[in-house]
């Protein structure tokens, strides 16, 4: 344990979202000793409430954010190679609405989108004649032409997890359900009091530098727990999504223009569903209590009903989720036009222990943000080290040529007894680490009892022992989306088994402040 009177850590990170986890991974890989504390589960707030896309942000071109789009497009290629199990290419169809942006504008935007970021692996854009193309079948009859382009899909909450896992394996201490009660500068260091949410036990951590990656709570941490008056402003914007039964066949997603100049995605989701989002609404409440409201549901249904041949109604919604984006406040009036770029605010000098606060950002550029954040901290500490994360696969992503289909084919050949659906789900979820879950199994009996659906005891044991799972919600809604596929009895059975595995008498590993494998 790193405590008062013992060797201080190089870096204490507050916040276990994608930015905090990405910074922890990068810093640990550069040789810094790292402690990360997250008050809830990893990726349990904004980072698990995205539209699940690794994308350049086509609409940001309209706001002249060329640097952000270029960086995001470059990262799209990098991340696809680093995590081919949780990130995959997806084609998007943009119907041309003659009452909105003209076709020439869309063509120019897509030309820039194709060439701005050095696209290598993904196919480029082209026009579609919807009158004789399958992509036109679910659409309203008024659409005659569309444009198709490439972006990528990501399991966002698992992206957070994999960064945290890799950080831990490189020596970082990852403390979930641990709140930073307060932190103050003392004798050239940060002295922080951390509290275990389960037991209420408190301990002290000293660190040479502190990163505030608390997302929607970034200003609260600064002004409250750190006692520092922020020089930067954060604007909280709520984004909500709805999930409905599958609206159209095929693997293509759709991006629809609306008459308020916003765009709404409709994306194939979890096989049986369609994901629709997002909204942009200024938010002034508690980020932990965010939820969709009736007006947002009605808005999303109205946009889809305007664009599809079959209306979408609120009573078809089977699940919703909402998140609060902590955007850097650039005094923009419209919430949808606020920049998604990030700002790193360093408070250091005069012998003070460095404090770096993260404002804004988007999931696609988290790795670049982390690189710059660690560069900044290392410069302040006088501990330079080379960047490394652009070529290092995330856990499970070390597949030859980043070829997921070939990996899945080999997995099915190695374990022909494994049902095809389970093999694909596990390959997508765990990548090459599925072999650790299988642990030499030669038949379903070796996986232990089937708890619910295709969830075997071996998977739940792996999740508890290696993936920081504490509750059924952690597993059902963040490590997976099995909560959508299991009935109430199945969800209860999973939650009960996880509780058993985490009980004092079970052999689940204890958390550690020393870093390394859990």
């Amino acid at each position: 344990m790193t405590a008062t009177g013992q060797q201080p850590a190089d870096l204490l990170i507050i916040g276990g979202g994608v930015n905090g986890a990405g910074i922890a991974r990068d810093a640990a890989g550069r040789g810094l000793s790292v402690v990360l504390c997250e008050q809830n589960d990893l990726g349990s707030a904004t980072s698990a409430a995205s539209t699940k896309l690794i994308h350049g942000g086509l609409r940001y071109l309209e706001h002249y954010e060329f640097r952000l789009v270029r960086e995001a497009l470059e990262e799209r290629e990098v991340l696809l190679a680093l995590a081919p199990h949780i990130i995959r290419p997806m084609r998007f169809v943009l119907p041309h609405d003659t009452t909105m942006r003209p076709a020439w504008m869309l063509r120019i935007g897509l030309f820039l989108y194709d060439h701005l970021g050095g696209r290598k692996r993904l196919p480029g854009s082209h026009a579609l004649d919807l009158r004789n193309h399958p992509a036109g079948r679910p659409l309203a009859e008024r659409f005659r032409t569309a444009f198709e382009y490439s972006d990528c899909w990501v399991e966002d909450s698992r992206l957070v997890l994999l960064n945290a896992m890799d950080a831990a394996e490189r020596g970082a201490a990852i403390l979930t359900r641990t709140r930073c009660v307060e932190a103050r500068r003392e004798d050239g260091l940060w002295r922080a009091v951390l509290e275990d949410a389960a037991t209420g036990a408190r301990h002290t951590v000293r660190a040479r530098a502190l990163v505030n990656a608390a997302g929607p709570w970034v200003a609260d941490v600064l002004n409250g727990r750190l006692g520092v008056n922020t020089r930067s402003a954060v604007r909280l914007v709520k984004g909500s999504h709805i999930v409905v039964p599958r609206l159209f066949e095929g693997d293509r997603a759709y991006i629809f223009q609306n008459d308020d100049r916003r765009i709404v995605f409709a994306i194939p989701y979890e096989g049986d569903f369609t994901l629709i989002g997002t909204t942009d609404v200024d938010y002034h409440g508690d980020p932990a209590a965010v939820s969709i409201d009736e007006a947002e549901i009605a808005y999303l249904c109205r946009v889809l009903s305007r664009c599809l041949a079959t209306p979408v109604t609120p009573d078809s919604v089977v699940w919703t989720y909402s998140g609060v984006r902590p955007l850097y406040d650039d005094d923009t009036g419209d919430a949808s036009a606020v920049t998604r770029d990030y700002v790193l605010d360093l408070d250091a000098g005069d012998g003070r222990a460095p404090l770096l606060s993260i404002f804004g950002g988007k999931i696609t550029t988290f790795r670049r943000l982390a690189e710059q954040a660690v560069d900044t901290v290392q410069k302040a500490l006088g501990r330079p080290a080379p960047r490394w994360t652009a070529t290092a696969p995330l856990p499970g992503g070390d597949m030859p040529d980043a070829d997921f289909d070939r990996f899945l084919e080999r997995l099915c050949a190695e374990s022909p007894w494994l049902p095809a659906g389970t093999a694909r789900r596990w390959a997508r979820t765990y990548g090459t680490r599925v072999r650790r879950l299988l642990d030499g199994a030669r038949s379903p009996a070796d996986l232990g009892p089937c708890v619910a659906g295709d969830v075997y005891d071996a998977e739940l044991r792996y999740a508890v022992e290696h993936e920081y799972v504490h509750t059924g919600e952690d597993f059902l809604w963040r490590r997976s989306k099995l909560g959508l596929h299991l009935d109430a009895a199945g969800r209860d059975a999973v939650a009960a088994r996880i509780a058993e595995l985490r009980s004092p008498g079970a052999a689940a590993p204890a958390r550690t402040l020393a870093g390394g494998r859990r």
Side-chain angles (χ1 to χ4, degrees), residues 74-387:
E74 291 170 349
E75 281 301 285
R76 187 182 64 179
E77 297 272 338
V78 171
L79 295 177
L80 180 58
L82 301 186
H85 51 322
I86 63 166
I87 300 174
R88 63 184 185 271
M90 182 174 279
R91 294 292 277 175
F92 288 77
V93 175
L94 171 59
H96 173 230
D97 191 322
T98 57
T99 66
M100 297 185 195
R101 298 166 181 87
W104 64 262
M105 181 182 292
L106 298 180
R107 290 180 188 277
I108 290 173
L110 287 169
F111 177 84
L112 289 172
Y113 206 68
D114 280 344
H115 295 91
L116 199 57
R119 177 180 53 85
K120 297 176 182 177
R121 301 184 60 185
L122 300 175
S125 61
H126 59 82
L128 300 178
D129 183 348
L130 296 176
R131 291 170 295 184
N132 53 34
H133 194 280
R137 291 172 187 164
L139 300 177
E141 288 188 4
R142 73 175 186 281
F143 293 120
R144 294 289 185 266
T145 304
F147 300 93
E148 187 178 55
Y149 68 95
S150 294
D151 263 323
C152 291
W153 167 267
V154 64
E155 294 291 350
D156 52 5
S157 52
R158 290 201 66 82
L159 183 65
V160 180
L161 169 70
L162 297 184
N163 276 273
M165 287 174 62
D166 200 24
E169 291 171 10
R170 296 175 189 274
I174 306 297
L175 308 179
T176 63
R177 290 173 168 80
T178 300
R179 179 173 177 266
C180 178
V181 177
E182 67 173 11
R184 294 293 185 272
R185 289 181 170 109
E186 183 180 282
D187 300 327
L189 298 171
W190 282 99
R191 181 182 182 277
V193 178
L194 307 184
E195 181 179 80
D196 186 297
T199 66
R202 293 186 174 187
H203 56 268
T204 300
V205 169
R206 296 184 303 148
R208 295 184 177 89
L210 189 150
V211 171
N212 175 10
W217 293 272
V218 61
D220 292 341
V221 168
L222 280 169
N223 298 325
R225 300 179 215 177
L226 306 186
V228 176
N229 291 323
T230 176
R231 301 190 302 264
S232 302
V234 62
R235 181 170 178 177
L236 301 182
V237 175
K238 178 172 66 164
S240 296
H241 296 76
I242 61 176
V243 175
V244 300
R246 188 171 179 170
L247 296 174
F248 44 82
E249 297 299 317
D251 296 328
R252 291 180 177 87
Y254 291 84
I255 173 173
F256 296 119
Q257 302 175 82
N258 194 36
D259 51 16
D260 59 4
R261 298 194 68 80
R262 293 199 66 257
I263 56 93
V264 172
F265 290 99
I267 304 172
Y269 191 59
E270 289 291 309
D272 301 324
F273 305 95
T274 300
L275 173 65
I276 301 168
T278 181
T279 60
D280 278 305
V281 182
D282 281 311
Y283 187 74
H284 304 286
D286 178 2
V290 64
S291 62
I292 197 169
D293 59 41
E294 291 183 3
E296 290 177 288
I297 294 175
Y299 172 84
L300 294 173
C301 289
R302 185 167 60 251
V303 174
L304 266 291
S305 297
R306 180 180 173 276
C307 297
L308 296 180
T310 303
V312 178
T313 59
D315 59 7
S316 65
V317 175
V318 298
W319 184 51
T320 70
Y321 64 87
S322 301
V324 178
R325 308 182 191 102
L327 305 181
Y328 185 75
D329 194 349
D330 54 4
D331 294 323
T332 301
D334 183 3
S336 65
V338 181
T339 181
R340 266 53 175 177
D341 211 344
Y342 52 84
V343 173
L344 308 182
D345 183 26
L346 179 66
D347 178 10
D350 300 326
R352 291 175 297 161
L355 165 63
L356 184 66
S357 296
I358 313 297
F359 293 86
K362 59 200 295 283
I363 198 166
T364 303
T365 53
F366 86 92
R367 193 197 62 83
R368 292 283 283 270
L369 182 155
E371 277 189 335
Q372 294 179 33
V374 178
D375 285 349
T376 302
V377 169
Q378 288 192 309
K379 183 176 180 180
L381 294 177
R383 297 271 302 277
R387 295 177 170 184

